[in-house]
């Protein structure tokens, strides 16, 4: 288990103050001639076979964006967007950091995809460095698993094409399929995208067929970063979605306890009974956190703990929790391989 600093995860993204983009944007746009310069056509992926797909128009939270030609330089601003872009043969020239880890070379599901290429880090979670993005002169900015604000979208749209979060869904609330399709359409690779999605769907189906007993079990995913405070993930969180697609039923009470627009229900020790389910998956950042949770007197009273139906997995080292937190076309196969034997071993 990792004993490092806990990664700041999705629920905290909502609470992080956004950058004051106006000043930075004014400087950046001034430095780059107001964003009117043509982007350089430096290839960032495989040879183009998709030019005929353009122009394409992609609808999103802030309207629609028409992309006239195949993007050569792509910046991703969603926490996990780079995975789908990489899976489609394009290496982003810029990306944001999520786990306080460089988003290349670290995760086992993307190491080979990045190779020796290192993208520019253009922000941390939803705080974007506008000057760095402008300096990269991207043809396209993608922000799917993100909390991009309208002012950020407007600023970036002054100098490049921007595809913001999926339309009609809460921030961080779109499924991996929806986000992958948005990205695939933006890159002119819809047919290839559908093959990727079908392949992942088949992996989930194979697990469900192998373990029909999963469908009879209710499961919850939880974490805890400090004593006395616990979180249960709602049905819109990637971690819960992952286990739902493995075949498990989720507990609706967690959704009713969550604040509007949040993907977690914050629980006190007195509310831990909400997590007394058939299978409880704790995703944590240290063995100390595991020991603290197990030592909580009210947790000791739960049947799921007494009957050893709880599972503790790390976010990193090995990167199991990170894999189903990303929950992308690249990370899902790794997550399935790691999680299936662990969860199936619980009787």
């Amino acid at each position: 288990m990792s004993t490092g600093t806990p990664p700041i995860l999705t629920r905290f993204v909502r609470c992080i103050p956004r950058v004051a983009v106006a000043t930075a944007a004014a400087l950046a746009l001034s430095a780059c001639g107001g964003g009117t310069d043509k982007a350089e056509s430096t290839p960032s992926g495989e040879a183009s076979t998709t030019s005929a797909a353009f122009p394409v128009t992609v609808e999103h939270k802030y309207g629609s964006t028409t992309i006239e030609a195949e993007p050569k330089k792509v910046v991703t601003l969603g926490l996990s967007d780079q995975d789908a872009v990489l899976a489609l043969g394009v290496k982003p020239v810029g990306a944001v950091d999520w786990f306080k880890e460089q988003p290349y070379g670290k995760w086992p599901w993307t190491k080979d995809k990045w190779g020796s290429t290192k993208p520019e880090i253009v922000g941390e979670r939803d705080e974007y460095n506008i000057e760095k993005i402008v300096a990269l002169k991207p043809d396209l900015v993608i922000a799917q698993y993100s909390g991009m604000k309208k002012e950020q979208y407007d600023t970036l749209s002054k100098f490049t094409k921007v595809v913001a979060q999926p339309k009609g869904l809460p921030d961080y609330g779109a499924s991996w399929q929806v986000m992958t399709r948005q990205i695939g359409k933006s890159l002119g690779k819809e047919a290839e995208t559908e093959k990727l999605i079908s392949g992942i769907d088949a992996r989930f189906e194979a697990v469900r067929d192998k373990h029909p007993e999963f469908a009879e079990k209710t499961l919850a995913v939880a974490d805890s970063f400090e004593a006395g405070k616990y979180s249960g993930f709602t049905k819109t969180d990637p971690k819960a979605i992952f286990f739902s697609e493995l075949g498990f039923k989720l507990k609706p009470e967690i959704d009713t306890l969550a604040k509007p627009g949040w993907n977690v229900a914050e629980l006190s020790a007195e509310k831990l009974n909400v997590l007394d389910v058939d299978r409880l998956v704790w995703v944590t950042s240290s063995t100390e956190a595991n020991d603290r949770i197990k030592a909580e007197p009210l947790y000791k009273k739960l049947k799921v703990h007494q009957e050893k139906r709880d599972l503790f997995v790390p976010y990193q080292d090995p990167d199991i929790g990170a894999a189903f937190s990303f929950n992308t076309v690249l990370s899902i196969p790794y997550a399935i391989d790691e999680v299936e034997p662990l969860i199936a071993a619980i009787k």
Side-chain angles (χ1 to χ4, degrees), residues 15 50 56 79 98 105 108 152 197 209 228 230 270 293 314 332 346:
C15 306
T50 58
V56 296
L79 303 183
W98 179 5
Q152 293 170 314
I197 291 173
D209 289 344
Y230 307 89
E270 288 73 22
I293 293 166
I332 287 170
I346 300 175

Side-chain angles (χ1 to χ4, degrees), residues 230 257 266-276 298 302:
Y230 307 89
L257 290 171
E266 295 186 326
L267 308 171
S268 63
E270 288 73 22
K271 289 283 188 179
L272 279 174
N273 62 301
V274 174
L275 302 179
D276 207 358
L298 292 175
L302 302 185

Side-chain angles (χ1 to χ4, degrees), residues 189-338:
K189 296 174 179 282
E190 290 186 274
E192 189 176 345
T193 298
E194 291 306 317
K195 288 181 182 178
L196 285 172
I197 291 173
S198 295
I200 298 301
D201 285 340
R203 288 293 306 269
F204 278 121
E205 184 177 6
V207 174
R208 294 193 297 269
D209 289 344
K210 183 179 177 181
H211 298 284
E213 70 277 11
F214 287 178
E216 302 170 3
K217 308 296 182 184
T218 299
L219 179 145
V221 188
D223 74 3
S224 175
F225 284 108
E226 58 181 293
K229 294 185 179 181
Y230 307 89
S231 296
F233 292 95
T234 69
K235 64 182 179 181
T236 62
D237 186 86
K239 292 173 280 299
I241 291 172
F242 172 79
F243 285 96
S244 176
E245 292 197 90
L246 286 180
F248 291 97
K249 296 180 290 186
L250 302 177
K251 192 166 184 180
E253 286 87 347
I254 292 175
D255 300 306
T256 61
L257 290 171
K259 295 177 182 178
W262 283 48
N263 61 342
V264 294
E266 295 186 326
L267 308 171
S268 63
E270 288 73 22
K271 289 283 188 179
L272 279 174
N273 62 301
V274 174
L275 302 179
D276 207 358
V277 290
D278 296 316
R279 300 289 184 270
L280 176 57
V281 178
W282 288 98
V283 55
T284 62
S285 299
S286 67
T287 53
E288 288 83 2
N290 298 347
D291 293 341
R292 172 173 51 75
I293 293 166
K294 293 173 184 177
E296 166 58 51
L298 292 175
Y299 183 67
K300 289 181 177 180
K301 294 182 178 181
L302 302 185
K303 285 186 177 181
V304 69
H305 176 62
Q306 294 173 353
E307 297 176 5
K308 302 185 186 304
R309 291 183 278 107
D310 49 358
L311 176 66
F312 290 78
V313 297
Y315 278 110
Q316 301 183 66
D317 306 320
D319 305 324
I320 302 172
F324 59 71
S325 294
F326 271 69
N327 206 39
T328 65
V329 291
L330 289 183
S331 73
I332 287 170
Y334 174 87
I336 289 176
D337 289 344
E338 294 291 326

Side-chain angles (χ1 to χ4, degrees), residues 7-310:
I8 299 178
L9 300 171
T10 305
R11 74 172 184 276
F12 294 115
V13 174
R14 303 183 186 284
C15 306
I16 295 171
R18 272 72 185 182
V19 289
V21 297
T23 302
L27 292 171
L29 292 172
S30 173
C32 293
T36 58
D37 289 353
K38 296 294 184 181
E40 296 175 2
S41 298
T42 302
S44 56
E46 298 174 354
S48 170
T49 58
T50 58
S51 297
F54 295 92
V56 296
T57 299
V58 185
E59 293 189 352
H60 51 76
K61 180 176 181 177
Y62 300 124
S64 63
T65 298
T66 298
I67 304 161
E68 288 84 6
E70 181 183 3
K72 301 294 185 182
K73 298 180 71 176
V74 177
V75 168
T76 59
L77 297 182
L79 303 183
S80 58
D81 293 358
Q82 65 269 18
D83 279 15
V85 176
L86 283 166
L88 290 167
V90 177
K91 295 180 182 179
V93 296
V96 295
D97 201 0
W98 179 5
F99 275 71
K100 290 189 178 293
E101 293 278 353
Q102 300 290 355
Y104 55 84
K106 154 67 175 170
W107 308 119
W109 56 90
T110 56
K111 270 186 176 181
D112 292 342
K113 296 290 184 181
W114 283 115
S116 60
T117 303
K118 294 184 178 181
E120 184 77 21
I121 304 306
V122 296
E124 187 173 305
R125 296 178 293 277
D126 287 343
E127 294 189 3
Y128 313 137
N129 187 317
I130 302 297
E131 291 182 341
K132 281 189 175 182
I133 298 171
V134 173
L136 290 171
K137 298 185 178 180
D139 306 305
L140 176 65
V141 169
I142 294 172
Q144 295 301 293
Y145 192 57
S146 81
M148 176 185 280
K149 294 300 183 184
K150 182 64 160 59
E151 63 175 327
Q152 293 170 314
Y153 171 79
D154 289 342
T155 299
L156 292 167
S157 295
K158 290 177 181 178
F159 69 91
T160 190
K161 302 291 184 179
V162 183
V163 176
Q165 303 95 296
K167 180 180 179 180
L169 294 167
D171 292 352
Y172 308 102
S175 68
W176 65 268
Q177 292 96 329
V178 167
M179 294 187 289
T180 303
R181 287 190 172 102
Q182 287 283 91
I183 290 169
K185 186 173 184 179
S186 301
L187 297 176
K189 296 174 179 282
E190 290 186 274
E192 189 176 345
T193 298
E194 291 306 317
K195 288 181 182 178
L196 285 172
I197 291 173
S198 295
I200 298 301
D201 285 340
R203 288 293 306 269
F204 278 121
E205 184 177 6
V207 174
R208 294 193 297 269
D209 289 344
K210 183 179 177 181
H211 298 284
E213 70 277 11
F214 287 178
E216 302 170 3
K217 308 296 182 184
T218 299
L219 179 145
V221 188
D223 74 3
S224 175
F225 284 108
E226 58 181 293
K229 294 185 179 181
Y230 307 89
S231 296
F233 292 95
T234 69
K235 64 182 179 181
T236 62
D237 186 86
K239 292 173 280 299
I241 291 172
F242 172 79
F243 285 96
S244 176
E245 292 197 90
L246 286 180
F248 291 97
K249 296 180 290 186
L250 302 177
K251 192 166 184 180
E253 286 87 347
I254 292 175
D255 300 306
T256 61
L257 290 171
K259 295 177 182 178
W262 283 48
N263 61 342
V264 294
E266 295 186 326
L267 308 171
S268 63
E270 288 73 22
K271 289 283 188 179
L272 279 174
N273 62 301
V274 174
L275 302 179
D276 207 358
V277 290
D278 296 316
R279 300 289 184 270
L280 176 57
V281 178
W282 288 98
V283 55
T284 62
S285 299
S286 67
T287 53
E288 288 83 2
N290 298 347
D291 293 341
R292 172 173 51 75
I293 293 166
K294 293 173 184 177
E296 166 58 51
L298 292 175
Y299 183 67
K300 289 181 177 180
K301 294 182 178 181
L302 302 185
K303 285 186 177 181
V304 69
H305 176 62
Q306 294 173 353
E307 297 176 5
K308 302 185 186 304
R309 291 183 278 107
D310 49 358

